[in-house]
């Protein structure tokens, strides 16, 4: 038996089968067997329960209100209008009536009951998307900059991202047997040439970025490919490794890290080099302690030079030195834009990625209506937003009309602060949440807006992110204002990341309630206004004043 | 009385008497009462009565009763007690233990029989009824008998089994010594009169043959159960907890009541009778609609009380009956209602009744009716039964109930059932509920501690099975057990889900099969599970399993059909042929039903 039980579960699961099938047939509970809930993650399915009603249900002698979150994998975040319609149907028919865009350009459904799982998964597959490896200890949904200024570069980078994603999709046929009722071909034993029967020690994340836009937060990834262009177009990628956000409160052995450049490759090397890196993490990642199993710790423990050496041994050659890159922004450019191919694109702000019909608009219905007439594609962004991409000039008015009718034009009215805000899902579905995030950030932003308004900072692009726990799903350690949940109503306040995502923030205040957070921010906005240097961003200012903030008067504000 | 006891006129020796006198002498009234109840429970009525019979040379009369919810049993015991008092030996026997072929040896008998299901005899009398209408039934020309039929006029087939029994006996040549009496839910007066007539008849014609019983020898052990319908125990509510999920279509509550000091000893499978007063708002609504003053004095059972009290505590307002509707139309001068109702066929009548409460009737068909007339046309309020969902060995001096609030809104206004609404929403923690023990011996766990049990339930039918499992858990018993349960949704309607999952996890429960009728596209009910599980069911039956079915009548019927179907399928025989297998199960008391 390994030190880490998940390793045993994987090894004994017969390539991710476990007893999921039996569990689905058990009508006495809405849950699956504990061990199987580890396995379903590899199938893109998380068992959750509505934490709002846990206590009430305990008193009612009912089990927790189990349901499942399904994550549909959308490589590079691109899907067709037909796929959108299919997903919309799943959201309204089986899930909780909402579609959730994630920080990794994917869709999530919440609240799917066990007996509806198979139908939902089948419907996703019928739409030619899938959920396999959307979660689990494998290479996850591969991200790709949503909309670079130049469409030809995007097409090439996207193709590389998709090829890499395909190459690293697990081979097991368990998924098809369990969810799609495909017969197992008895003779063909399952084989995972890249992963092996225990798969990776931990999740593995890859992103492709096209400078100057760093919307994907490429440096937060285990593996990054930053497009390098010359005057003729894409020449290759600077490969970065060892980024990651996840932290455990009170455990100093866990910390966020930014990825570092490893070398330069040409586009044809993406799959070969990427696979080799994944295999190295497979062989050297820490399988005894899950908290220490991410690639970032493997590299921390052994050094970048070790990695270069190991890679050279496996590839038979060394990588060229990394080439410089320059990022200017991470946020999405909302509204209409035209690319060099003449097409129009409309980037819409979706607060915290939650698309639903509600008092502030009928976004779910609106996007459904748009996907019924739209001929181009949808691009999900790493900021939980969506771009309606590839609209011909002729179609533009029709789409614009629907956008207005359904209140999808919020970006025209909202503050810069809100448009640069992001929160993870947290309560009530996330089992790891310690505090609210998605349900609370909008409210907190409203209060901060009053302050930025008062200090004349309303036009400032200040980036704020909140998560319900230190796992960092909204990449809060890369926010100018990062709020990391610690307990109900209590957050660790992190300040001062670079606006373009190339510098982490620092912990400024622990366990603060909203009153304390607001008081401190108010003071900081006042100082920023007085003391800022020309074109200095709020994040840069906060880092410049770090000593004052953490030790000085401010720590008692 | 105690001092008069001696070794010569009691079954005790001198030493026992000394101890008895010493300890009994110190008891206050309630302690004595408790002790008498305790002894009664310990000995059981049968033991006490065998004593009487042993003294005589043969009974003057045999009292046979077929009772499901205990009313008839109580009447039979009271009658037997009265004979005892009168010094006449009467033999008391439940039809549960009675061999129908023994009928032809009987010369003098009375039958107390209730009607259940949809005009069916009580479970324990099924065999007798089958016998009486079969080919092999013997001629009963020497039998002189009389029938007391218990029933409820709100049902379509009022006292159907009493009537059927009476008719069959006559067909077979038996002679009634008096007319059959049919009692409604307020059976006490009519049944009491019937009893007096029976005693008078026996005294006059048949008593010489039997010797006086020495009643005093048994007076220490009253044969009557202590808390009765008429002397209910006041139990305090300790907890009311809704146990269906937030957005369930059903409102089902778990109730915990204190039995402290009552000595009321129930068994899993038993029920409690609960008295529930009407909702004061409903009473007010009726008074308003009929423009009557609540303070008007009226006569109810020989005492004068206010009209609001009479309606609130003594009259049935939520369940209509044909009689009440007809009487209201007549007395209230409601010709329109009278004509309408007259024109209905039985199906329409039933629907009309099920969809309305009295308050709806007076609002739809207003009339001028006087206070006393109103009280006279309404039927007396009857207690409701609820299966206990706890085991005393586990919960000690508590009893748990599982109550579904009954709603109807056919007339556009939501109305709820009186007792279920009272328990779930009106009374609240700390309130007192009048209740009494309503035993159901035929629904107890098998005596053989190794017999497997199959528990089939829908909705609140799961209540007695929770009691079973608690009993198994707290007595450390290990018998195989299998739950088959159905309700609309898994997420909200698996009653006591945590308990069931725990029992399955610890291995106390071997298997759970569920039918969630609204969760899938195809409506699955418990009977479908039986059809899916015929082989397993057959295996369990071969191992001697007992089958328990609890819940609604329709479910009970469908499940029995499914079992019969399963037996047919397993044995490669026709559905009709499989009936005998089912009858055999019933004969060997391995199929137990608690349907309502
Ligand atoms: C939906 C999403 C947040 C959002 O609001 O959009 C999300 C939601 C969850 N994340 Fe995440 N993570 C999401 C992006 C991230 C990111 C951002 C990124 O990848 O760019 C991170 C930080 C980067 C990283 O991995 O280092 C992230 C780091 C984690 C971690 C911490 C991993 C670690 O190394 O410590 C966990 C916990 C774990 O894996 O044990 C986690 C776990 C979870 C789970 C599945 C909770 C669980 O394990 O039970 C959350 C589901 C909540 C729910 O109810 O939906 N999530 N998660 C994002 C889905 C991305 C996707 O489509 O795949
Ligand atoms: C042995 C036994 C055990 C039982 N165990 C349980 C138990 O564990 N849990 C439980 O919840 N219940 C149980 N019941 C049922 C229970 O006794 C009551 O019948 C039920 O709670 C309804 O009573 P009520 O006073 O609330 O409704 P009532 O006041 O009796 O009913 C009123 C409503 O029912 C409608 N109605 C009137 N007549 C009829 C009719 N003939 N058919 C259908 N509807 C009609 C009317 O519209 C009216 O609104 C059991 C019954 C028996 C006999
Ligand atoms: C589930 C159920 C069904 C009943 N069906 C009828 C019926 O069809 N006809 C009738 O007259 N009484 C019916 N009754 C009323 C009973 O006969 C009545 O309550 C009687 O007093 C019960 O006597 P027992 O306790 O001795 O069985 C029914 C009672 C119950 C609980
Ligand atoms: S950051 Fe924590 S609370 Fe938020 S979704 Fe991720 S795991 Fe859940």
């Amino acid at each position: 038996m390994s030190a880490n039980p998940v390793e045993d579960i994987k090894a004994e699961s017969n390539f991710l089968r476990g007893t999921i099938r039996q569990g689905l047939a058990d009508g006495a509970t809405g849950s699956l067997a504990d061990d199987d809930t580890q396995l379903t993650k590899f199938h893109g399915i998380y068992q959750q329960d509505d934490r709002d009603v846990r206590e009430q249900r305990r008193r009612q002698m009912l089990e927790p209100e189990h349901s499942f979150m399904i994550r549909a994998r959308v490589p590079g975040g691109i899907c067709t209008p037909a796929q959108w319609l299919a997903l919309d149907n799943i959201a309204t028919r089986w899930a909780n009536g909402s579609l959730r865009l994630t920080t990794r350009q994917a869709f999530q459904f919440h609240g799917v009951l066990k007996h509806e799982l198979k139908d939902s998964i089948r419907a996703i597959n019928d739409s030619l998307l899938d959920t396999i490896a959307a979660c689990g200890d494998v290479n996850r949904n591969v991200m790709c900059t949503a909309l670079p200024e130049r469409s030809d570069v995007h097409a090439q980078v996207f193709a590389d991202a998709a090829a890499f994603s395909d190459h690293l999709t697990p081979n097991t046929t368990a998924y098809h047997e369990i969810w799609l009722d495909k017969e197992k071909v008895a003779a063909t034993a399952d084989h995972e040439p890249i992963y092996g029967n225990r798969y990776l020690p931990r999740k593995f994340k890859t992103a492709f970025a096209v400078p100057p836009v760093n919307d994907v937060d490429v440096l937060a990834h285990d593996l990054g490919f930053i497009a390098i262009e010359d005057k003729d177009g894409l020449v290759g990628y600077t490969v970065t490794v060892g980024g990651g956000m996840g932290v455990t409160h009170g455990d100093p052995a866990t910390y966020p890290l930014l990825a570092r450049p490893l070398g330069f490759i040409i586009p044809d090397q993406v799959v070969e080099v990427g696979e080799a890196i994944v295999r190295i993490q497979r062989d050297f990642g820490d399988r005894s302690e899950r908290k220490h199993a991410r690639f970032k710790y493997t590299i921390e423990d052994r050094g970048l030079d070790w990695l270069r050496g190991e890679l050279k041994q496996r590839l038979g050659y060394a990588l060229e030195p990394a080439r410089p890159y320059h990022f200017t922004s991470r946020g999405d450019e909302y509204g209409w834009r035209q690319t060099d191919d003449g097409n129009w694109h409309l980037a819409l702000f979706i607060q915290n990625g939650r698309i639903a019909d509600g008092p502030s608009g009928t976004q779910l219905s609106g996007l459904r209506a748009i996907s019924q007439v739209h001929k181009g594609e949808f691009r999900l962004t790493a900021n939980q937003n969506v771009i309606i991409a590839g609209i011909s000039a002729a179609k533009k008015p029709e789409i614009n009309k629907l956008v207005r009718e359904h209140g999808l034009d919020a970006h025209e009215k909202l503050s810069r602060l809100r448009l640069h805000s992001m929160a993870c899902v947290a309560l009530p579905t996330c089992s790891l949440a310690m505090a609210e995030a998605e349900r609370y950030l909008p409210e907190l932003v409203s209060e901060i807006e009053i302050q930025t308004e008062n200090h004349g900072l309303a036009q400032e692009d200040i980036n704020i992110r909140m998560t319900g726990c230190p796992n960092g799903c909204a990449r809060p350690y890369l926010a100018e204002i990062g709020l990391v949940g610690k307990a109900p109503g209590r957050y660790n306040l992190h300040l001062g990341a670079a606006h373009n995502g190339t510098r982490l923030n620092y912990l400024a205040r622990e366990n603060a309630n909203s009153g304390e957070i607001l008081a401190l921010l108010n003071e900081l906005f006042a100082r920023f206004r007085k003391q800022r240097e020309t074109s200095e961003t709020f994040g840069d200012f906060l880092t410049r004043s770090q000593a004052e903030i953490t030790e000085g008067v401010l720590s008692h504000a | 009385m105690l001092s008069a006891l001696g070794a010569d006129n009691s079954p005790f020796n001198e030493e026992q008497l000394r101890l008895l006198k010493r300890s009994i002498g110190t008891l206050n009234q309630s302690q004595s009462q408790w002790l008498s109840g305790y002894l009664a429970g310990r000995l059981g009525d049968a033991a006490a009565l065998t004593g009487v019979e042993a003294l005589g040379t043969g009974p003057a009369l045999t009292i046979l009763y077929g009772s499901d919810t205990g009313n008839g049993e109580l009447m039979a015991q009271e009658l037997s007690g009265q004979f005892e008092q009168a010094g006449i030996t009467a033999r008391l026997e439940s039809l549960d233990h009675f061999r129908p072929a023994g009928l032809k040896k009987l010369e003098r008998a009375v039958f107390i029989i209730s009607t259940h299901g949809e005009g069916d005899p009580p479970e324990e009398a099924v065999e007798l009824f089958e016998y009486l209408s079969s080919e092999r039934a013997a001629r009963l020309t020497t039998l002189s008998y009389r029938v007391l039929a218990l029933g409820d006029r709100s049902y379509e087939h009022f006292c159907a089994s009493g009537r059927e029994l009476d008719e069959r006996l006559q067909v077979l040549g038996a002679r009634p010594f008096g007319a059959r009496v049919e009692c409604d839910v307020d059976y006490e007066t009519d049944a009491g009169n019937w009893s007096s007539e029976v005693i008078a008849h026996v005294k006059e014609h048949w008593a010489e043959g039997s010797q006086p019983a020495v009643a005093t020898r048994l007076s220490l052990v009253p044969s009557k159960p202590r808390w009765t319908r008429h002397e209910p125990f006041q139990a305090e509510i300790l907890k009311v907890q809704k146990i269906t999920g937030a957005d369930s279509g059903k409102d089902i509550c778990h109730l915990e009541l204190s039995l402290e000091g009552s000595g009321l000893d129930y068994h899993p499978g038993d029920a409690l009778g609960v008295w529930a007063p009407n909702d004061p708002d409903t009473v007010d609504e009726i008074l308003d609609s009929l423009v009557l003053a609540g303070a008007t004095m009226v006569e109810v059972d020989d005492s004068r009380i206010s009209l609001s009290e009479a309606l609130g505590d003594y009259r049935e307002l939520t369940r209509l009956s044909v009689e009440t509707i007809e009487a209201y139309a007549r007395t209230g001068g409601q010709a329109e209602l009278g004509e309408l109702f007259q024109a209905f066929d039985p199906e329409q009548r039933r629907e009309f009744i099920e969809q309305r409460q009295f308050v709806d009737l007076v609002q739809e068909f207003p009339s001028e009716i006087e206070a006393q007339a109103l009280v006279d046309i309404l039927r007396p309020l009857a207690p409701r039964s609820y299966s206990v969902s706890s085991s005393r060995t586990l919960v000690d001096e508590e009893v748990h109930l599982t109550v579904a609030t009954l709603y109807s809104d056919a007339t556009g206004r939501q109305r709820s059932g009186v007792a279920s609404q009272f328990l779930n929403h009106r009374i609240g923690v700390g309130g007192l509920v009048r209740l009494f023990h309503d035993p159901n011996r035929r629904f107890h766990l098998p005596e053989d501690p190794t017999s497997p049990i199959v528990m089939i339930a829908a909705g609140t039918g799961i209540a007695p099975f929770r009691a079973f499992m608690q009993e198994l858990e707290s007595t450390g018993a290990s018998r195989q057990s299998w739950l088959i349960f159905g309700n609309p949704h898994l997420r909200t309607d698996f009653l006591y889900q945590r308990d069931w999952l725990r029992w399955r996890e610890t291995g106390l429960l071997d298997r759970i099969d569920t039918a969630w009728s609204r969760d899938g596209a195809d409506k699955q009910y418990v009977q479908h599970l039986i059809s899916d599980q015929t082989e397993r069911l057959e295996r369990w039956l071969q191992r001697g399993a007992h089958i328990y079915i609890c819940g609604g009548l329709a479910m009970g019927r469908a499940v029995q059909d499914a079992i019969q179907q399963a037996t047919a399928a397993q044995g490669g025989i026709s559905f009709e042929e499989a009936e005998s297998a089912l009858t055999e199960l019933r004969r060997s008391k391995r199929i137990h039903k608690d349907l309502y």
Side-chain angles (χ1 to χ4, degrees), chain A residues 175-200:
Chain A
Y175 183 88
H176 305 85
E177 281 163 45
I178 296 173
W179 308 108
L180 308 176
D181 289 331
K182 298 256 161 66
E183 289 291 318
K184 176 157 171 52
V185 186
T188 58
D190 279 298
H191 178 55
E192 295 283 11
I194 302 177
Y195 292 122
N197 72 343
R198 290 189 300 165
Y199 296 83
L200 297 181

Side-chain angles (χ1 to χ4, degrees), chain B residues 369-390:
Chain B
I369 186 166
E370 298 205 340
Q372 186 63 47
L374 174 64
V375 170
D376 291 343
I377 63 163
L378 287 166
R379 293 168 347 117
L381 185 61
R384 310 292 197 254
S385 295
Y386 294 95
S387 313
V388 304
S389 53
S390 56

Side-chain angles (χ1 to χ4, degrees), chain B residues 174-216:
Chain B
R175 284 155 296 112
F177 65 82
R180 173 180 78 245
V181 168
E182 297 184 351
C183 306
D184 200 355
V185 284
D186 56 334
Y187 58 83
E188 289 78 10
T189 317
D190 290 343
N193 292 339
W194 176 86
S195 294
S196 309
E197 287 170 27
V198 167
I199 292 170
H201 184 89
V202 171
K203 271 189 180 154
E204 198 179 324
H205 301 283
W206 299 326
E208 359 45 89
S210 73
Q211 292 192 354
V214 190
T216 48

Side-chain angles (χ1 to χ4, degrees), chain A residues 42-59:
Chain A
F42 289 78
H43 303 246
I45 297 163
Y46 277 80
Q47 181 173 310
Q48 306 185 316
D49 74 283
D50 185 342
R51 295 177 57 184
D52 287 350
V53 298
R54 243 186 221 179
E55 177 50 28
Q56 179 194 337
R57 299 214 9 136
R58 199 189 52 72
R59 275 185 276 113

Side-chain angles (χ1 to χ4, degrees), chain B residues 65-75 112-120 122 124 149-161 163 183-187 229 319 382-383 385 438-439 442 551 553 594-596:
Chain B
Y65 64 92
S67 168
D68 209 342
T69 46
N71 295 340
E73 182 172 17
L74 195 65
M75 282 315 302
I112 300 176
I113 188 99
S114 62
T115 299
H116 282 270
E118 285 148 301
D120 306 321
E124 58 192 26
L150 296 184
D152 178 341
R153 279 195 197 277
S154 69
Y155 286 95
E156 193 181 327
H157 307 285
F158 174 60
C159 286
S161 24
R163 192 170 312 158
C183 306
D184 200 355
V185 284
D186 56 334
Y187 58 83
R229 196 179 154 97
R319 286 199 172 184
S385 295
D438 193 353
R442 284 167 308 92
L553 281 162
D594 188 6
L595 304 172
Y596 43 87

Side-chain angles (χ1 to χ4, degrees), chain A residues 26-30 53-54 56-66 113-116, chain B residues 241-246 254 466 490-492 494 496-499 501 504 512 514 516 519:
Chain A
D26 180 3
T29 167
V53 298
R54 243 186 221 179
Q56 179 194 337
R57 299 214 9 136
R58 199 189 52 72
R59 275 185 276 113
Q60 293 180 315
M61 292 177 258
L62 294 168
E63 69 178 358
E65 190 163 310
H66 294 296
L113 300 179
K114 187 170 83 175
H115 72 269
E116 301 163 335
Chain B
Q241 171 65 55
K242 180 170 183 272
I243 56 169
T244 39
H254 166 75
R466 178 175 185 261
L490 164 64
R491 190 168 59 87
T492 52
F494 190 176
Y496 303 107
Q497 185 182 30
R498 276 177 189 263
D499 283 343
L501 292 177
R504 187 175 67 171
I512 303 178
T514 53
W516 307 112
D519 273 353

